[in-house]
Amino acid sequence: FLSVVRHGSVSTAAKLLGVTPSQVSKAVNRLEDALHVTLLHRHSRGVLPSDAALQFLPRFEQAVLAMRGLEEMDSAARQLTVV
């Protein structure tokens, strides 16, 4: 979702993520279903974020940063050796 919003395109986001546009669309659709909102307005030249998407965007970005931080902590913990 974040990549789609940043690039304004499902296909561009898919390329950058290394997946198919169909996979990206399905993931966004599942997110929309889970939140009971429309996140993207789709049109022939790409997509635009909805008002709801703009409200959720900062929280999604925070969640991604938090997940990356946890991944880094996990990686660092795995590199520790017990003496």
Side-chain angles (χ1 to χ4, degrees):
F1 166 75
L2 290 175
S3 186
V4 174
V5 171
R6 285 186 189 125
H7 300 289
S9 165
V10 170
S11 59
T12 300
K15 273 185 195 174
L16 293 170
L17 295 169
V19 298
T20 67
S22 175
Q23 289 173 300
V24 171
S25 290
K26 288 178 184 176
V28 171
N29 288 337
R30 285 192 303 270
L31 185 57
E32 288 176 323
D33 289 345
L35 297 173
H36 305 288
V37 296
T38 297
L39 295 171
L40 300 174
H41 296 296
R42 294 145 176 95
H43 56 86
S44 61
R45 294 188 181 253
V47 297
L48 292 172
S50 68
D51 289 340
L54 294 174
Q55 289 179 358
F56 280 114
L57 199 56
R59 290 185 180 175
F60 288 143
E61 290 170 336
Q62 289 172 348
V64 169
L65 288 174
M67 288 171 34
R68 286 183 182 152
L70 290 172
E71 289 170 351
E72 289 173 10
M73 288 173 56
D74 180 58
S75 177
R78 289 175 191 269
Q79 293 177 7
L80 294 177
T81 57
V82 178
V83 179

